[in-house]
Amino acid sequence: MFVFSLKYIAPLEEVDALLPDHVAWLKAQHEAGHFIAWGRKVPREGGLIMAHAPTREMAEELAASDPFVKGGAAEVEVIEFSPSFVAPGLEGLQG
């Protein structure tokens, strides 16, 4: 399990210009089984993505393929974690 923490490094106008490609990328990665949740940080200074990947290397490659990152509008930190507790109904998150 990984969390991708995005931080915008460009003005919001540049972020918004890349938003349609970013949303398409999110949906494609969800359909491929990689992403289970995503959303904006509040205040709007970036976002978070919860992801599954078999290796850290693959997670980092996936994070780097984000149109926001490729377009220079955001930087991303990849955080790996191993859930030791999940609420009922979320057992699939424990890998």
Side-chain angles (χ1 to χ4, degrees):
M1 169 83 44
F2 297 89
V3 174
F4 300 166
S5 179
L6 293 152
K7 178 181 176 186
Y8 300 145
I9 57 174
L12 286 179
E13 295 79 22
E14 292 180 36
V15 172
D16 287 340
L18 294 167
L19 189 57
D21 291 340
H22 173 74
V23 171
W25 173 79
L26 290 169
K27 290 178 179 179
Q29 297 310 321
H30 171 68
E31 289 178 16
H34 298 298
F35 293 173
I36 57 172
W38 59 78
R40 291 180 179 168
K41 293 179 182 176
V42 178
R44 189 178 174 206
E45 57 190 26
L48 296 173
I49 301 168
M50 293 183 65
H52 283 290
T55 66
R56 180 173 188 86
E57 180 180 19
M58 183 177 175
E60 289 174 352
E61 289 173 5
L62 194 55
S65 72
D66 182 341
F68 283 166
V69 175
K70 289 172 60 176
E75 58 188 16
V76 63
E77 177 184 9
V78 177
I79 303 163
E80 185 171 3
F81 80 104
S82 178
S84 55
F85 169 82
V86 295
L90 300 176
E91 294 84 4
L93 296 179
Q94 288 186 293

